[in-house]
Amino acid sequence: MSMEQRIEAAAPTASAAHSSRSWSEPLVFVIMVALLVIAPKAIYPMFIMQALCFALFACAFNLLIGYVGLLSFGHALYFGWASYLAAHSAKVWGFPPELAILTGTLTACLLGIISGSLAIRRQGIYFAMITLALAQMMFFFALQLKFTGGEDGIQAVPRGKLFGSIDLSDQTNMYFTTVGIFLFGFLLIYRIIHSPFGEVLKGIRENEARAISLGYKTDRYKLMAFVLSATLAGLAGSTKAIVLQIASLTDVDWPMSGEVVLMALVGGLGTVFGPVAGAFIVVAMQNYLAQVGQWVTVIQGVIFVVCVLAFRRGVIGEIAHHLRIKL
Amino acid sequence: MFEIFGIPSAALFGQLLIGLINGSFYALLSLGLAVIFGMLNIINFAHGAQYMLGAFAAYLLLELLGVNYWWALLVAPLIVGLIGVVIERTLLQWLYKLDHLYGLLLTFGLALVIEGLVRNRYGSAGLPYTVPESLTGGTNLGFMFLPNYRAWVIAASLGVCLATWFVIERTKLGAYLRAATENPTLVRAFGINVPLMITLTYGFGAALAAFAGVMAAPIYNVSPQMGSSLIIVVFAVVVIGGMGSIMGAIVTGFGLGIVEGLTKVFFPEASNTVIFVVMAIVLLVRPAGLFGRRT
């Protein structure tokens, strides 16, 4: 059973005509928004903001693996470089936060166009290796260029005033701005996968040769999906730079690429809400296990192995499978 | 001593030599990756970790048991190969019917586990491993000074690479292997134990990585992260060469090592990235790789 079939199995209603809207996705979406509104009363807002940035990152990554069947092992490239550019433009050029985030996002878009057009020249496993290698190359650039601050990164990034009026140094303002950006990205991805364009992507995932024979220029579709995914990963990275007020080498290094794969895998590849759940689980685990330092890597590795062997649908995928609904 | 392009010959050839050394590790590791992929259809992300385990095994054999370099060269690959056999039997064998990507994800997880465990035990700082007595010193070739150990590494890895190529391309066992890669069901129908071959192939691939690790121990420090950076470069090497041919892997590995060495001489700041740049150029010009067939 291939990955595609597994994802299909996780979404039994997917074979139904795409015009039939599922009721479960909007319902869960409303619950998610409600939770995000009341959560800061109960949970440390900084943690939620951080998790939301990673959730958007994981959703962007999942757009490729879950709906086009392309495994990118280098998504840290867009996340990290976007966060560098957002941090730099806010701190050195004095950009307001919305422009800083836009700068970072556009940077990721540009990098996505360049590396995407290289990576889609090969299929499957080669694609994963190429994305990883390109990301490593850009990691060395980040290491050597002056503006990234090398090992120190760019620290003390000013949050500034959103649209010149909303002061983001206020935690509540920052929180709802982050929620807004996350929901914007999330809904955009939701729109994409439920659009005719998204249907073609799924068609490519199922059987690329067939999509080609039907007259679709699959390379263009794949590149488009890649650039969208990279851009949204950049939006997540830029937001993170403003929220945490730092951009550093950790965000561009390969373990970060692995982490986002883990988030999507734990939550459920090819599910709408899986990456969000996965991001919260992984970020919570990291914060919770911060004391045990090095063991985090080992535990992450074990989770990878266990997920692949026994838990391929992920948390949300399993729930959706057992309740026979789409999530 | 003389000069070439305004570079003292000793410096130029010295870097070329380092390039050849790196190239021999690229060749050994990409060879192992190609052999494993051919048989198991899995990209072994744990290859870097197995290389690192080989270096650590050599270090521990020396520190704890006083086993010298030459025995370590034999014993460490055996140990890591056995670990590989266990990994294949307990974890990898459940993945053969799934998408290739799951193998990559699982072995990536394994690499994290192995590296994390070693780092917990020995810290991130490197451990020294001295060059064996019999290979200290060097030869003055007139235009450069050639340390004996480095000459040995290049010769040994070339030897191992060519022996592997010979076994796969020119022997009966190799014929079975290649046949099983093409059509495992048919080969099984002829009464050949394909699952055993798969297990041993993975063990052999892991042992190759460990062999490279033992040879690397005296040159680089023995450290937990020595494998992870290397494996990414080796991935680029594999993309450039394509995994279609054994010879391709060897030639590409050594060739890129030399390219990297030369870059160190002329543009030192680009030496980390040159292989990735070459990969990008190859993807533009020959998307299937230098020796690859269109997939």
Side-chain angles (χ1 to χ4, degrees), chain A residues 247-266:
Chain A
S248 70
L249 279 176
T250 1
D251 298 339
V252 274
D253 205 357
W254 64 265
M256 180 60 77
S257 297
E259 229 156 74
V260 75
V261 178
L262 181 66
M263 288 169 187
L265 186 68
V266 167

Side-chain angles (χ1 to χ4, degrees), chain A residues 62-314:
Chain A
N62 184 47
L63 176 65
L64 273 185
I65 180 79
Y67 299 95
V68 204
L70 293 172
L71 171 64
S72 161
F73 233 107
H75 251 48
L77 158 54
Y78 317 105
F79 186 79
W81 273 85
S83 76
Y84 272 131
L85 263 291
H88 184 78
S89 59
K91 190 177 174 177
V92 180
W93 301 336
F95 279 21
E98 67 277 7
L99 269 186
I101 289 175
L102 189 67
T103 308
T105 311
L106 286 177
T107 307
C109 178
L110 195 69
L111 290 166
I113 293 170
I114 298 167
S115 51
S117 45
L118 283 172
I120 60 160
R121 292 170 153 256
R122 288 282 197 88
Q123 316 290 331
I125 216 77
Y126 281 108
F127 177 89
M129 290 196 277
I130 294 165
T131 47
L132 176 64
L134 290 172
Q136 183 77 349
M137 175 169 98
M138 292 305 286
F139 167 78
F140 282 122
F141 277 130
L143 194 64
Q144 282 170 337
L145 286 172
K146 290 279 176 289
F147 88 98
T148 60
E151 298 286 344
D152 303 328
I154 305 175
Q155 297 179 9
V157 177
R159 281 184 179 175
K161 286 194 164 70
L162 191 66
F163 307 119
S165 59
I166 306 164
D167 188 2
L168 291 184
S169 54
D170 177 84
Q171 205 69 321
T172 315
N173 289 346
M174 187 73 244
Y175 179 80
F176 283 104
T177 306
T178 311
V179 170
I181 292 171
F182 163 74
L183 290 178
F184 164 76
F186 182 88
L187 287 172
L188 184 65
I189 291 171
Y190 187 82
R191 263 321 305 148
I192 292 168
I193 59 182
H194 288 85
S195 70
F197 171 76
E199 294 297 326
V200 177
L201 292 184
K202 286 175 212 163
I204 293 172
R205 178 189 75 195
E206 300 310 323
N207 189 337
E208 188 172 354
R210 187 156 180 264
I212 293 171
S213 73
L214 288 171
Y216 289 108
K217 297 207 175 344
T218 55
D219 273 0
R220 276 188 207 170
Y221 279 90
K222 285 200 289 193
L223 181 60
M224 189 76 199
F226 193 97
V227 173
L228 280 167
S229 173
T231 308
L232 285 161
L235 178 63
S238 314
T239 312
K240 184 185 164 280
I242 301 292
V243 169
L244 298 178
Q245 301 179 287
I246 182 167
S248 70
L249 279 176
T250 1
D251 298 339
V252 274
D253 205 357
W254 64 265
M256 180 60 77
S257 297
E259 229 156 74
V260 75
V261 178
L262 181 66
M263 288 169 187
L265 186 68
V266 167
L269 299 174
T271 61
V272 179
F273 295 96
V276 183
F280 272 85
I281 292 168
V282 172
V283 175
M285 187 184 81
Q286 282 169 342
N287 287 354
Y288 191 72
L289 296 172
Q291 299 84 3
V292 291
Q294 287 300 346
W295 286 102
V296 175
T297 336
V298 178
I299 294 165
Q300 280 186 348
V302 170
I303 296 175
F304 255 110
V305 172
V306 170
C307 273
V308 171
L309 284 179
F311 200 59
R312 275 185 293 274
R313 287 197 191 95

